[in-house]
């Protein structure tokens, strides 16, 4: 199993996603002789998982069932254990596009955090690219190394435990892109410029406060970065539902159905729009935004090395 290469069958030691519903799923490490408890009953790894195909429908001990999914960076973002605040797919998608990442790209990242963005970057630059990720916190760095090894991507990533603001990324003049998610990104701009290739490398800084953005942009200008711009990505989800509205009273002409060819005695006409006119309402599909909309996550500042 690898997060960048699809495997057909579930093997001992794999990380799999137990899918109970769109709003309910969780990761599980498949181990021989282990069981996993769900609200639908027990899943026995030895008999219910190992050897089965990913995507299989597995019946639990209480008679309910779940799907077992192959892990992807998107599913991992939704289900990973949170050691820090993470980036979600909305921001990750614009980051990978604006940094112009592709297979073979070299990327530097700080900090690693819970590894949400890291997995997406690795999948994007695979199979010949590489991610150099720096994490200040020792325990988080060690946990990230362990997860990358379990997920079969350790050959595509180098995890370093150090302060990027003081010691940089450990590489020079090779990166196609640099991503910063640290409290004081302006202190790492110089190291980011040193890590980027000679010309045309891209940098992105994620900051939750506009004061951080302002200070970072000033330092980017001092170091000669160009095309500096800041984006804020807001996600708005719509629910599609059927609603009923009253037909407006347009006078006698609207009441006269003689010219429409509608026959109330004909069963085939009962479901027509004219039938709804007699009832005074009409039903149609409508997209309605959620009452609670996810608000501000952070600002993304992009620039190019001149």
């Amino acid at each position: 199993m690898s997060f960048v290469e699809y495997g057909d069958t579930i093997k001992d030691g794999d990380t799999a996603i137990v899918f109970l519903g769109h709003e309910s799923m969780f990761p599980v490490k498949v181990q021989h002789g282990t069981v996993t408890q769900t609200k639908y009953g027990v899943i026995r790894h030895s008999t219910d998982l190992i050897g089965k195909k990913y995507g299989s429908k597995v019946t639990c001990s209480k008679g309910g069932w779940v799907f077992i999914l192959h892990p992807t960076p998107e599913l991992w973002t939704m289900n990973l254990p949170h050691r820090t605040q993470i980036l979600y797919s909305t921001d990750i998608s614009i980051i990978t596009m604006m940094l112009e990442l592709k297979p073979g790209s070299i990327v530097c990242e700080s900090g690693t955090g819970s590894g949400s963005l890291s997995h997406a970057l690795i999948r994007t630059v695979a199979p010949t690219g590489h991610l150099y990720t720096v994490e200040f916190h020792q325990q988080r760095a060690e946990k990230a190394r362990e997860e990358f090894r379990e997920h079969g991507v350790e050959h595509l990533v180098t995890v370093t435990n150090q302060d990027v603001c003081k010691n940089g990324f450990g590489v020079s003049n090779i990166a196609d892109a640099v991503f910063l998610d640290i409290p004081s990104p302006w202190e790492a701009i110089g190291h980011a410029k040193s890590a980027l290739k000679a010309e045309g490398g891209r940098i992105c800084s994620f900051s939750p406060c506009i004061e951080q953005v302002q200070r970072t942009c000033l330092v980017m200008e001092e170091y000669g970065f160009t095309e500096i711009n800041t984006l804020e990505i807001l996600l708005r989800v719509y629910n599609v539902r059927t609603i009923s509205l009253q037909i407006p009273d347009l006078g006698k002409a609207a009441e006269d159905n003689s010219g429409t060819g509608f026959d109330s005695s004909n069963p085939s006409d009962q479901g027509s729009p004219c039938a709804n006119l007699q009832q005074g309402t009409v039903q149609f599909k409508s997209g309605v935004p959620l009452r609670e909309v996810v608000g501000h996550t952070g600002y993304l500042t992009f620039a190019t090395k001149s």
Side-chain angles (χ1 to χ4, degrees):
M1 183 277 304
S2 172
F3 272 53
V4 297
E5 296 176 0
Y6 182 78
D8 191 47
T9 59
I10 305 170
K11 299 180 178 62
D12 189 13
D14 282 3
T15 298
I17 305 297
V18 179
F19 181 89
L20 292 84
H22 289 290
E23 301 296 329
S24 180
M25 50 184 146
F26 60 89
V28 61
K29 184 174 182 179
V30 179
Q31 293 178 312
H32 184 77
T34 303
V35 299
T36 297
Q37 296 283 350
T38 74
K39 62 181 180 181
Y40 301 125
V42 173
I43 301 174
R44 295 175 175 82
H45 294 199
S46 300
T47 57
D48 297 333
L49 299 184
I50 297 177
K52 300 288 182 66
K53 288 188 176 183
Y54 279 106
S56 296
K57 183 178 178 180
V58 174
T59 302
C60 304
S61 60
K62 293 182 180 178
W65 48 268
V66 299
F67 287 107
I68 307 299
L69 306 181
H70 192 283
T72 64
E74 291 81 8
L75 289 174
W76 185 246
T77 291
M78 298 171 63
N79 296 283
L80 58 77
H82 285 236
R83 300 183 289 273
T84 60
Q85 292 287 339
I86 70 169
L87 291 177
Y88 290 92
S89 298
T90 306
D91 289 317
I92 291 173
S93 59
I94 197 71
I95 290 170
T96 55
M97 185 189 75
M98 294 294 288
L99 289 182
E100 302 174 3
L101 301 182
K102 59 186 181 299
S105 295
I106 305 298
V107 185
C108 293
E109 175 198 26
S110 183
T112 312
S114 300
S116 173
L117 176 64
S118 303
H119 282 81
L121 293 177
I122 291 170
R123 195 260 307 274
T124 302
V125 304
T128 56
H130 200 83
L131 171 66
Y132 295 89
T133 182
V134 179
E135 173 56 53
F136 175 78
H137 194 274
Q138 182 179 356
Q139 285 74 22
R140 288 201 293 263
E142 293 174 352
K143 186 62 178 177
R145 288 194 194 98
E146 179 184 343
E147 287 180 348
F148 293 142
R149 184 170 57 254
E150 291 178 352
H151 298 165
V153 296
E154 71 276 9
H155 62 292
L156 296 169
V157 57
T158 299
V159 182
T160 306
N161 173 219
Q162 64 186 28
D163 186 352
V164 70
C165 296
K166 295 180 179 179
N167 307 114
F169 294 94
V171 296
S172 299
N173 303 319
I174 65 170
D176 297 288
V178 171
F179 177 79
L180 299 174
D181 183 6
I182 54 178
S184 52
W186 55 88
E187 295 181 1
I189 298 299
H191 294 298
K193 184 176 181 180
S194 299
L196 287 168
K197 59 186 181 182
E199 185 178 358
R202 295 279 286 165
I203 184 174
C204 175
S205 174
F206 176 89
S207 297
C209 301
I210 194 63
E211 292 81 7
Q212 295 170 302
V213 174
Q214 292 170 335
R215 192 166 179 179
T216 301
C217 289
L218 291 174
V219 176
M220 284 181 174
E221 289 180 344
E222 292 176 5
Y223 277 93
F225 283 91
T226 59
E227 299 178 343
I228 302 172
N229 64 90
T230 299
L231 308 176
E232 181 184 22
I233 312 300
L234 300 178
L235 178 65
R236 193 173 199 182
V237 179
Y238 281 78
N239 275 339
V240 177
R241 63 185 186 184
T242 301
I243 64 174
S244 297
L245 292 179
Q246 285 188 338
I247 299 298
D249 184 3
L250 301 178
K252 186 176 181 181
E255 298 174 359
D256 184 8
N257 297 323
S258 59
T260 63
F262 173 71
D263 183 1
S264 60
S265 63
N266 187 352
S268 63
D269 286 336
Q270 295 299 319
S272 67
C274 295
N276 285 329
L277 288 176
Q278 291 186 340
Q279 299 171 3
T281 62
V282 63
Q283 292 185 334
F284 62 93
K285 298 289 185 180
S286 175
V288 181
L290 300 178
R291 292 182 179 273
E292 296 182 2
V293 179
V294 177
H296 172 77
T297 57
Y299 299 102
L300 294 169
T301 300
F302 297 90
T304 303
K305 183 177 179 180
S306 176

